[in-house]
Amino acid sequence: MPQEISILEHTATLAKYLDLDQRGKIMAEYVWIDGSGEMRSKCRTLSKKVTSLSELPEWNFDGSSTMQAPGDNSDIYLRPCAFYPDPFRKGDNIIVLTECWNNDGTPNKFNHRHECAKLMTAHEDEEVWFGLEQEYTLLDPVDGYIYGWPKGGFPAPQGPYYCGVGTGKVYARDVIEAHYRACLHSGITISGINAEVMPSQWEFQVGPCTGISMGDELWMARYLLNRVAEEFGVKVTFHPKPLKGDWNGAGCHTNVSTKSMRQPGGMADIEAAIEKLSKRHKEHIALYGADNDQRLTGRHETASMENFSYGVANRGASVRIPRSVQAEGYGYFEDRRPASNIDPYLVTGIMVETILGSIPDADMTKEYQREIS
Ligand code: ADP
Ligand code: MN
Ligand code: MN
Ligand code: MN
């Protein structure tokens, strides 16, 4: 392990090249999810400014280098599904979110978007909205320890850090600020940010977003965070329990509403949805992130993973109805079970499947059984 990572990110020097004329060409950075649930991207030149999805060509890559395909049948196809202004290159340059498809015409192992989109389309009339609260933790890039913590030791116990202000109470605000701006530039529906209970842990919220755009926007916001962190020389982890002991884990609370829940009297629909969720607790937990058992202990503002529970304003329940929603009699509910490392397509997909009804040609519970082919 090198004593000092040589971070060759000369951002200030790069700045002068970013002004160079591109002579009408644009750069399109294609992003996808690899065989371990991490993000990858590569770039291509396009001949003119892109104004609609249909102008973006399908592309491919070597899936044997990303744990997505065997070496003897390595082509994986990238199908564009959304594109966003590129906050790093600016101008007309774009970042393209893609789905991965195998050579035989089946969705690739970690392409959970395809099934999710079928459910979202089938229930389009319900206008389901999601809001995801993405928690994450910053790490030192050299030793992987929590960013800014005393080496071999710990900061003072939790208490002053949540929404903390001032030196020693908040870490790496510059990184978070840069990411927030990048999201706004790219048109991500980022609704806010806050420092979390454990020092060097943060949260951003994306939403409300309708249907499939929730998963798209959350993945893109994560991509932007990873890119920003590269320049600051900080590592991002989405692990739900980055440090054992009396330190909070990281979740991805999932706020949900349908059209009828958002109208006066909607509380009855919220209660009916929670009743349905209570009957599929195990199926949901299976899709709510790896290592979530380390986080859902019943401590640190979580409910135990074993049982389903719900309550008004209860941060120790699986599902919470916000106090203001109960007071007004309509609004939304919050599923607090999902871990920070979820695939949002799995979580929003099974949510719709459970509360609005399954459809014949999609089954979210089978999504994890897919292997590379
Ligand atoms: P918390 O109080 O749990 O920390 P946050 O304010 O962090 O909640 O996040 C709440 C999220 O819920 C935001 O992303 C917000 O946009 C979203 N949200 C608000 N209203 C609705 C709604 N009716 N349906 C779905 N999501 C919603
Ligand atoms: Mn929150
Ligand atoms: Mn939080
Ligand atoms: Mn929350």
Side-chain angles (χ1 to χ4, degrees), residues 172-365:
R173 196 189 288 282
D174 49 0
V175 179
I176 279 67
E177 189 70 15
H179 174 246
Y180 200 166
R181 293 287 176 125
C183 284
L184 289 173
H185 176 90
S186 295
I188 300 301
T189 318
I190 185 165
S191 51
I193 53 155
N194 61 266
E196 271 303 336
V197 174
M198 173 176 133
S200 251
Q201 196 173 79
W202 288 84
E203 168 179 316
F204 63 85
Q205 302 100 28
V206 180
C209 291
T210 307
I212 196 70
S213 73
M214 182 71 257
D216 292 350
E217 290 204 22
L218 191 78
W219 275 116
M220 189 46 56
R222 286 175 174 175
Y223 177 81
L224 297 179
L225 179 61
N226 277 306
R227 287 285 308 271
V228 166
E230 281 176 20
E231 293 189 15
F232 284 90
V234 177
K235 226 164 127 174
V236 174
T237 179
F238 293 106
H239 193 277
K241 193 75 180 180
L243 198 67
K244 303 239 164 22
D246 222 356
W247 304 99
N248 273 31
C252 194
H253 296 166
T254 301
N255 299 275
V256 188
S257 64
T258 59
K259 198 162 82 179
S260 50
M261 290 176 195
R262 294 189 294 269
Q263 287 163 3
M267 192 56 129
D269 295 271
I270 293 174
E271 281 166 0
I274 293 173
E275 170 70 17
K276 288 179 187 163
L277 286 173
S278 73
K279 298 198 170 118
R280 283 189 101 202
H281 180 61
K282 276 211 171 67
E283 289 87 340
H284 277 250
I285 287 290
L287 300 187
Y288 278 10
D291 297 326
N292 204 14
D293 54 317
Q294 296 172 24
R295 165 182 166 260
L296 293 183
T297 57
R299 300 183 60 225
H300 304 111
E301 299 174 54
T302 70
S304 153
M305 190 150 134
E306 302 306 319
N307 305 303
F308 181 89
S309 59
Y310 77 98
V312 173
N314 185 354
R315 287 188 154 73
S318 317
V319 168
R320 176 178 70 105
I321 299 172
R323 174 85 62 206
S324 61
V325 170
Q326 199 210 27
E328 287 180 324
Y330 62 95
Y332 66 99
F333 67 89
E334 175 192 43
D335 189 341
R336 299 175 61 79
R337 295 171 293 173
S340 45
N341 59 356
I342 51 160
D343 183 320
Y345 297 126
L346 291 176
V347 173
T348 59
I350 196 170
M351 183 60 74
V352 163
E353 188 178 85
T354 299
I355 70 175
L356 296 176
S358 56
I359 56 171
D361 63 340
D363 183 350
M364 295 312 294
T365 64

Side-chain angles (χ1 to χ4, degrees), residues 9-199:
E9 291 283 356
H10 299 294
T11 311
T13 311
L14 171 65
K16 69 183 190 201
Y17 295 94
L18 293 178
D19 290 341
L20 293 177
D21 186 0
Q22 292 180 211
R23 305 204 186 279
K25 300 281 198 291
I26 73 144
M27 293 139 108
E29 187 78 27
Y30 278 49
V31 174
W32 72 94
I33 301 155
D34 76 8
S36 60
E38 296 285 323
M39 306 187 83
R40 307 258 179 162
S41 75
K42 64 172 184 167
C43 193
R44 66 186 293 168
T45 305
L46 298 177
S47 56
K48 62 177 176 43
K49 182 181 163 139
V50 173
T51 55
S52 76
L53 200 55
S54 60
E55 293 163 36
L56 285 165
E58 196 173 293
W59 204 12
N60 56 58
F61 66 95
D62 166 18
S64 69
S65 299
T66 61
M67 294 158 284
Q68 287 177 276
D72 57 358
N73 188 15
S74 66
D75 276 7
I76 299 290
Y77 296 90
L78 295 171
R79 293 193 189 158
C81 41
F83 67 96
Y84 307 87
D86 185 333
F88 307 105
R89 298 185 170 119
K90 304 182 201 168
D92 291 331
N93 302 303
I94 53 173
I95 306 183
V96 182
L97 186 72
T98 66
E99 276 186 20
C100 291
W101 286 79
N102 299 325
N103 192 35
D104 65 3
T106 57
N108 191 244
K109 187 174 177 213
F110 272 80
N111 174 0
H112 301 307
R113 186 182 188 278
H114 179 63
E115 293 283 292
C116 177
K118 287 190 221 165
L119 280 150
M120 296 303 174
T121 304
H123 293 294
E124 224 159 25
D125 291 352
E126 284 286 347
E127 293 170 25
V128 56
W129 290 2
F130 296 99
L132 294 179
E133 302 169 49
Q134 176 70 68
E135 293 179 342
Y136 60 97
T137 310
L138 301 175
L139 304 178
D140 184 299
V142 178
D143 59 18
Y145 195 49
I146 312 293
Y147 183 78
W149 285 27
K151 296 299 172 197
F154 301 93
Q158 293 183 162
Y161 310 111
Y162 170 73
C163 300
V165 178
T167 302
K169 299 198 189 99
V170 72
Y171 295 62
R173 196 189 288 282
D174 49 0
V175 179
I176 279 67
E177 189 70 15
H179 174 246
Y180 200 166
R181 293 287 176 125
C183 284
L184 289 173
H185 176 90
S186 295
I188 300 301
T189 318
I190 185 165
S191 51
I193 53 155
N194 61 266
E196 271 303 336
V197 174
M198 173 176 133

